[in-house]
Amino acid sequence: LALRELEIPGTGPWDVRLAGLFGNLRGLLLRHPSVAYLDTVQPLSGPAAFRAADAALGILAGAGLSRAQCVAGMSNLVNFTFGSALFRLHQATETEPRRDYERRVRLASMNELPHIADMAAEMLSRGGDDEFETGLQSLIDGLRGQSRPLQKE
């Protein structure tokens, strides 16, 4: 039911609409964690999920991607968006696994795990909105590189 709330951008350049769609999806998942968790055990296949998938495929097709590129691009965007939301939800919980993760990052040895030890503060603050936007734009930039101009008939 919560997926019915998903706002699908209808106008603008394809890359802006795609970023808006997946940004809106992530926001919805953060507001309704049960949707994100449900998708980990069974694919979402209701009318609202198919409406969102159809919109994403249409945006990608309109950008000039092949059919296979459209499906792969949508799949990668969905996986990234759900993964980002689930990670953010996990970061926000105070559970023993979360506390253990934080403890292990803080105790990382410069001799054994020098990069984690050096970047511990960043490791513990990852998963935010800026990080999501950067990753989303990287995926969209990759799709842009695959697109070809549509020929007018």
Side-chain angles (χ1 to χ4, degrees):
L1 294 173
L3 272 177
R4 287 189 215 161
E5 296 175 20
L6 181 63
E7 182 182 337
I8 298 175
T11 60
W14 74 269
D15 53 344
V16 173
R17 288 185 299 137
L18 199 62
L21 174 60
F22 284 94
N24 293 344
L25 176 59
R26 182 173 181 265
L28 183 141
L29 296 172
L30 294 175
R31 287 189 311 277
H32 301 283
S34 60
V35 175
Y37 293 124
L38 177 62
D39 191 63
T40 65
V41 294
Q42 69 182 43
L44 300 176
S45 59
F50 276 96
R51 182 178 63 91
D54 190 68
L57 291 170
I59 292 169
L60 292 166
L65 274 72
S66 72
R67 295 159 64 98
Q69 290 169 328
C70 289
V71 172
M74 180 193 67
S75 181
N76 288 322
L77 288 161
V78 167
N79 291 338
F80 173 72
T81 302
F82 272 79
S84 172
L86 287 166
F87 186 81
R88 176 74 176 267
L89 291 166
H90 172 73
Q91 294 291 85
T93 61
E94 285 297 324
T95 62
E96 186 53 37
R98 170 68 186 158
R99 286 188 291 276
D100 183 57
Y101 170 80
E102 289 176 359
R103 188 171 38 255
R104 289 174 185 268
V105 169
R106 285 191 182 98
L107 295 174
S109 161
M110 284 300 283
N111 292 330
E112 294 178 21
L113 302 168
H115 303 292
I116 292 175
D118 182 50
M119 299 179 213
E122 291 82 0
M123 290 287 293
L124 293 173
S125 65
R126 63 194 180 117
D129 295 339
D130 289 344
E131 184 178 290
F132 172 75
E133 292 297 327
T134 298
L136 181 60
Q137 283 307 311
S138 294
L139 287 169
I140 291 172
D141 288 346
L143 292 166
R144 184 180 295 107
Q146 297 175 36
S147 68
R148 62 189 184 291
L150 295 176
Q151 297 181 2
K152 306 239 180 197
E153 295 184 30

